[in-house]
Amino acid sequence: MKVMKFGGTSVGKPERMKHIASLLQKEQETSVVVLSALSGTTNALVEIGNAIARGDRHTAQQSINNLQEHYNAFLKELFTKETALAKAQAIVDEHFEFLNIILKISFSEALSKDILAQGELLSTKIFSVYLEEQGESYALLPALEFMSIDENEEPQIGSIRIKLTQLLAQHADKKILVTQGYICRNARGEVDNLKRGGSDYSASLIAAAISASVCEIWTDIDGMHNNDPRVVGTTRPVEQLSFEEAAELAYFGAKILHPASIWPAQQYKIPVKLLNTMDPEARGTLITQEPSGAGVKAVAAKDHIYAIRIKSSRMLLAYGFLRKVFEVFEKYKTSIDMITTSEVAVSLTIDNADHLEQIVKELEVLGTVTVDTDQTIVSVVGYRINETEEIIKKLFGSIRNVPIRMVSYGGSQHNISLLVGADEKVHLLKQLNKGMFGLD
Ligand code: ASP
Ligand code: MG
């Protein structure tokens, strides 16, 4: 059994949805098909939730109406048979009726999660009716019946496995098992989610829970590329990556996989494939336990980074200083990405500025604090690159006239990270593309 996950753009247009059904038709293996919401839907639902939260029911109502029109048009284009169209229309109407009811009741956090869940509920139900229209052997497995997180918002793999195995046993004769990405139940039994972009995470958790042969992530690009195609002229797909390399790339900004989705596949040894719905024959990227060899695989950039420097003469010859610094970040549940130290100063980066003001205030007790906003981390990732002198020479030899604010080297064997001002990112990515990969 395998897992196939299709993202928002892969289901976002009626012809793409039809295309997925035809891809599934060619499959030999039984597949658990994990779907995202149609592209744009979750953003729209976030806005609806925000509008309701601030009491702006008028805007919320308008957004609901617009979204509903979008779905109505979608259905008309998707279905040919009247009966199927009527069935799908009834489902869509029911979900929008729910949204319209929510408009009238007082807002709560739990309710906002219910709103967000509508996207995946709609996409999977619409797709199911389409499969039915096509005469496919399928079943819809409600994610809310098996996908769960605990009090710390950690997925409960053991319980997911038990419940999913039971559900699968009920549909042992079916070849296609459709389910929702992203949504789950929390420790209070309420509808919740795995955070934005979480459908990849769902897919990887499901693959781990059922010991799938492979977890396929289908998008609209032929795998992970060596650099950002939106920034540099030429890129090429990376054929193979280890989980460790993939984790570094995913975390440091490659549009590859939700970073959280690496660990379940890695821990349960499920190979992950990144494939292209528009070009299903393309090799894509295979992610497995073992790296394909030493050398640089790709560079990635992570934007909207804050660099914080704490300078203190009290750090000189003292111990325990870093602990005090880290405690401040721990208190505000803010994770640190990069860190470098000298004898009298520590520089570190964060990407979550929700508590920046309080953090700075508390750090000021320890020393002089400066904050640089709008920074970018550029990471160079590859197996054991820090042990290869040639690579390091090549890396720094590639860079010209780009002021580097921080360098993180040796933290992992597979990553060298550079921090630059956001306005230097394009230069740096281009220079690295040329210097490290010989591409424009
Ligand atoms: N629909 C959700 C989102 O847009 C989850 C996903 O697509 O992965 O964040
Ligand atoms: Mg996604």
Side-chain angles (χ1 to χ4, degrees):
M1 200 176 282
K2 67 164 154 175
V3 173
M4 300 172 81
K5 180 258 171 179
F6 296 91
T9 42
S10 301
V11 291
K13 295 220 166 73
E15 74 261 22
R16 308 290 302 264
M17 214 179 235
K18 291 180 191 178
H19 182 64
I20 293 178
S22 72
L23 277 179
L24 294 177
Q25 245 162 17
K26 295 187 201 116
E27 276 305 323
Q28 303 295 320
E29 223 175 326
T30 299
S31 312
V32 178
V33 177
V34 180
L35 300 187
S36 288
L38 312 198
S39 50
T41 298
T42 310
N43 286 344
L45 294 170
V46 168
E47 275 171 31
I48 291 167
N50 289 345
I52 298 177
R54 61 171 192 268
D56 185 355
R57 273 156 222 274
H58 178 71
T59 303
Q61 182 69 70
Q62 222 148 29
S63 304
I64 293 173
N65 295 348
N66 291 345
L67 194 62
Q68 186 162 17
E69 264 168 45
H70 177 73
Y71 274 83
N72 290 347
F74 189 97
L75 297 187
K76 286 206 181 77
E77 222 180 303
L78 181 65
F79 293 102
T80 31
K81 291 187 186 141
E82 277 305 320
T83 45
L85 176 62
K87 188 166 181 181
Q89 188 68 60
I91 291 167
V92 167
D93 289 348
E94 193 186 310
H95 282 275
F96 279 93
E97 203 179 293
F98 175 75
L99 286 174
N100 281 312
I101 290 170
I102 282 188
L103 251 190
K104 298 188 185 83
I105 43 190
S106 61
F107 185 81
S108 71
E109 198 54 42
L111 214 51
S112 81
K113 305 280 175 64
D114 271 313
I115 297 174
L116 291 176
Q118 300 308 306
E120 272 70 11
L121 292 170
L122 279 164
S123 66
T124 49
K125 289 185 186 178
I126 293 169
F127 186 62
S128 295
V129 179
Y130 182 71
L131 289 176
E132 193 176 308
E133 186 188 48
Q134 302 304 303
E136 296 295 338
S137 149
Y138 84 95
L140 178 60
L141 310 180
L144 296 177
E145 282 180 23
F146 66 84
M147 189 58 76
S148 57
I149 51 175
D150 63 19
E151 307 78 29
N152 301 314
E153 304 195 334
E154 291 299 328
Q156 301 173 297
I157 285 255
S159 142
I160 295 169
R161 164 167 289 168
I162 294 168
K163 290 182 182 153
L164 193 50
T165 309
Q166 281 169 355
L167 275 173
L168 287 170
Q170 288 167 23
H171 301 286
D173 55 328
K174 300 294 192 309
K175 262 208 64 210
I176 302 172
L177 301 142
V178 182
T179 192
Q180 297 87 16
Y182 181 58
I183 62 174
C184 63
R185 276 194 196 279
N186 62 27
R188 292 180 298 276
E190 301 156 347
V191 173
D192 209 322
N193 61 63
L194 301 174
K195 311 263 157 65
R196 293 306 305 273
S199 291
D200 291 345
Y201 197 13
S202 304
S204 157
L205 288 165
I206 292 169
I210 63 169
S211 306
S213 61
V214 59
C215 178
E216 296 180 348
I217 307 287
W218 290 80
T219 60
D220 49 5
I221 181 164
D222 49 348
M224 232 290 301
H225 279 226
N226 73 297
N227 203 329
D228 190 336
R230 294 163 304 181
V231 175
V232 299
T234 323
T235 60
R236 56 168 177 253
V238 180
E239 269 179 33
Q240 208 255 326
L241 285 171
S242 66
F243 283 117
E244 283 174 331
E245 291 169 320
E248 300 277 5
L249 285 168
Y251 188 73
F252 287 109
K255 295 282 168 289
I256 156 181
L257 265 177
H258 190 287
S261 54
I262 307 273
W263 76 261
Q266 181 171 24
Q267 195 172 322
Y268 291 83
K269 299 191 172 53
I270 315 288
V272 175
K273 266 191 197 166
L274 310 178
L275 295 161
N276 186 356
T277 23
M278 299 319 284
D279 185 6
E281 300 307 321
R283 293 177 75 147
T285 302
L286 173 67
I287 308 170
T288 55
Q289 219 69 10
E290 293 303 318
S292 60
V296 175
K297 304 290 164 53
V299 300
K302 189 173 178 181
D303 298 315
H304 311 300
I305 300 294
Y306 299 78
I308 302 170
R309 177 182 286 128
I310 308 120
K311 211 173 144 193
S312 167
S313 52
R314 264 177 295 159
M315 201 179 152
L316 197 68
L317 300 173
Y319 54 84
F321 185 81
L322 282 177
R323 180 181 51 76
K324 289 180 200 139
V325 170
F326 288 150
E327 270 171 1
V328 175
F329 289 88
E330 193 179 347
K331 180 169 169 193
Y332 293 102
K333 294 192 169 149
T334 300
S335 78
I336 297 168
D337 286 333
M338 278 174 82
I339 169 154
T340 56
T341 64
S342 82
E343 189 48 42
V344 289
V346 190
S347 269
L348 42 81
T349 69
I350 58 172
D351 65 354
N352 168 3
D354 289 353
H355 302 287
L356 185 61
E357 223 172 285
Q358 295 121 294
I359 288 172
V360 168
K361 209 167 186 183
E362 295 203 21
L363 289 175
E364 275 168 346
V365 178
L366 303 172
T368 317
V369 180
T370 44
V371 178
D372 293 323
T373 57
D374 227 358
Q375 304 285 302
T376 295
I377 297 175
V378 171
S379 292
V380 180
V381 173
Y383 185 64
R384 294 198 160 172
I385 53 168
N386 73 332
E387 292 169 16
T388 323
E389 197 191 316
E390 272 316 300
I391 291 177
I392 298 156
K393 274 193 197 152
K394 221 170 159 181
L395 169 60
F396 287 99
S398 313
I399 305 169
R400 276 192 179 64
N401 300 324
V402 174
I404 309 282
R405 164 81 164 78
M406 278 168 76
V407 177
S408 176
Y409 167 84
S412 118
Q413 293 170 295
H414 319 300
N415 174 344
I416 300 173
S417 291
L418 311 167
L419 185 76
V420 293
D423 47 354
E424 301 288 350
K425 171 177 109 167
V426 173
H427 285 135
L428 185 54
L429 287 183
K430 283 186 172 161
Q431 289 176 2
L432 292 174
N433 213 36
K434 187 145 222 128
M436 308 297 295
F437 303 100
L439 296 171
D440 288 338

